[in-house]
Amino acid sequence: EDQVTQSPEALRLQEGESSSLNCSYTVSGLRGLFWYRQDPGKGPEFLFTLYSAGEEKEKERLKATLTKKESFLHITAPKPEDSATYLCAVVSSNTGKLIFGQGTTLQVKP
Amino acid sequence: DTGVSQNPRHKITKRGQNVTFRCDPISEHNRLYWYRQTLGQGPEFLTYFQNEAQLEKSRLLSDRFSAERPKGSFSTLEIQRTEQGDSAMYLCASSLGTGGKNGYTFGSGTRLTVV
């Protein structure tokens, strides 16, 4: 069964303190791995899609990488406005549905 | 296009009542998904449609839940005989195929509170 596990569950950083979020997955044929940002009371907002091991995507202070078993979301010099829950999800070649992890809640203090 | 629209934004209902939510996807998207999210958890898959066909329904979903997508446009999710455990955020998403470089676009959700 397809499964996604994210760690840590919660992360507190000082402004400017870089760190990484982990997403481990097991899937029967990866069609795509997705990263989303979710603010309280809102729907998830799309960040990146990664398709194959070795692929990297960047957007402002965020960089996502992918291996055969996990993905990392690197946050460089975060700002308080980066505070949110970051969700990782996979789509397998057997089905078209997104399977989500439980998310990592990031808090960046000024 | 203004994205995925969900109505209502909030719904409070008494236990045992039926509720219906509506989702209007991005017009050119052929796939539509329903998810449920509780506090501190990631979205949990409920069901999805390709055009008007319902392709998969979570085995965790009780028979009290039903979804439709007439004519492959908007979709409705109905919960019959609501229970307190049904309290959650119900999210709708749409995509063109399996998302690709633009991902799956989510609406703002409908928050259901069963009292």
Side-chain angles (χ1 to χ4, degrees):
Chain A
E1 186 174 330
D2 301 338
Q3 192 168 4
V4 179
T5 303
Q6 292 186 245
S7 62
E9 289 188 8
L11 182 62
R12 290 184 179 181
L13 299 174
Q14 288 295 129
E15 185 172 1
E17 180 186 1
S18 300
S19 187
S20 296
L21 282 55
N22 177 264
C23 170
S24 298
Y25 64 91
T26 54
V27 65
S28 52
L30 181 68
R31 180 168 287 181
L33 184 141
F34 299 79
W35 281 98
Y36 282 84
R37 169 189 171 132
Q38 187 174 29
D39 293 302
K42 296 187 177 181
E45 176 187 348
F46 172 73
L47 293 174
F48 305 110
T49 308
L50 301 167
Y51 293 103
S52 57
E55 189 174 0
E56 299 181 352
K57 293 277 180 69
E58 285 189 70
K59 180 180 180 180
E60 296 180 355
R61 295 177 292 282
L62 301 177
K63 178 180 177 180
T65 62
L66 181 65
T67 72
K68 288 186 177 180
K69 293 184 177 181
E70 57 190 351
S71 177
F72 292 93
L73 185 65
H74 307 278
I75 304 176
T76 302
K79 298 181 177 181
E81 53 262 42
D82 294 322
S83 298
T85 295
Y86 291 87
L87 296 164
C88 173
V90 297
V91 176
S92 77
S93 57
N94 294 333
T95 176
K97 64 187 182 187
L98 273 174
I99 300 299
F100 282 90
Q102 77 275 28
T104 293
T105 299
L106 173 66
Q107 184 180 25
V108 181
K109 294 192 171 184
Chain B
D1 200 329
T2 56
V4 177
S5 177
Q6 291 189 247
N7 288 289
R9 289 296 311 277
H10 304 276
K11 178 72 177 178
I12 300 174
T13 190
K14 292 183 178 180
R15 188 174 55 185
Q17 297 294 305
N18 298 344
V19 293
T20 300
F21 310 141
R22 177 177 170 126
C23 172
D24 288 273
I26 292 173
S27 56
E28 62 264 31
H29 285 181
N30 60 341
R31 290 195 173 194
L32 186 148
Y33 311 80
W34 285 99
Y35 286 83
R36 176 172 61 191
Q37 187 176 27
T38 53
L39 197 62
Q41 299 298 313
E44 175 190 25
F45 171 78
L46 295 179
T47 188
Y48 86 99
F49 295 83
Q50 180 163 299
N51 300 314
E52 66 274 12
Q54 187 172 19
L55 295 188
E56 187 173 346
K57 184 176 178 179
S58 170
R59 61 179 180 270
L60 302 175
L61 207 60
S62 80
D63 291 341
R64 296 184 297 106
F65 288 72
S66 62
E68 294 183 342
R69 193 184 182 196
K71 302 179 182 179
S73 56
F74 71 92
S75 177
T76 58
L77 177 68
E78 181 183 16
I79 308 174
Q80 296 182 327
R81 304 180 303 282
T82 52
E83 302 172 356
Q84 287 190 324
D86 296 331
S87 296
M89 174 78 87
Y90 289 83
L91 293 163
C92 175
S94 69
S95 70
L96 186 60
T98 53
K101 64 177 181 178
N102 295 318
Y104 297 59
T105 304
F106 281 81
S108 297
T110 294
R111 179 162 299 281
L112 173 66
T113 303
V114 181
V115 297

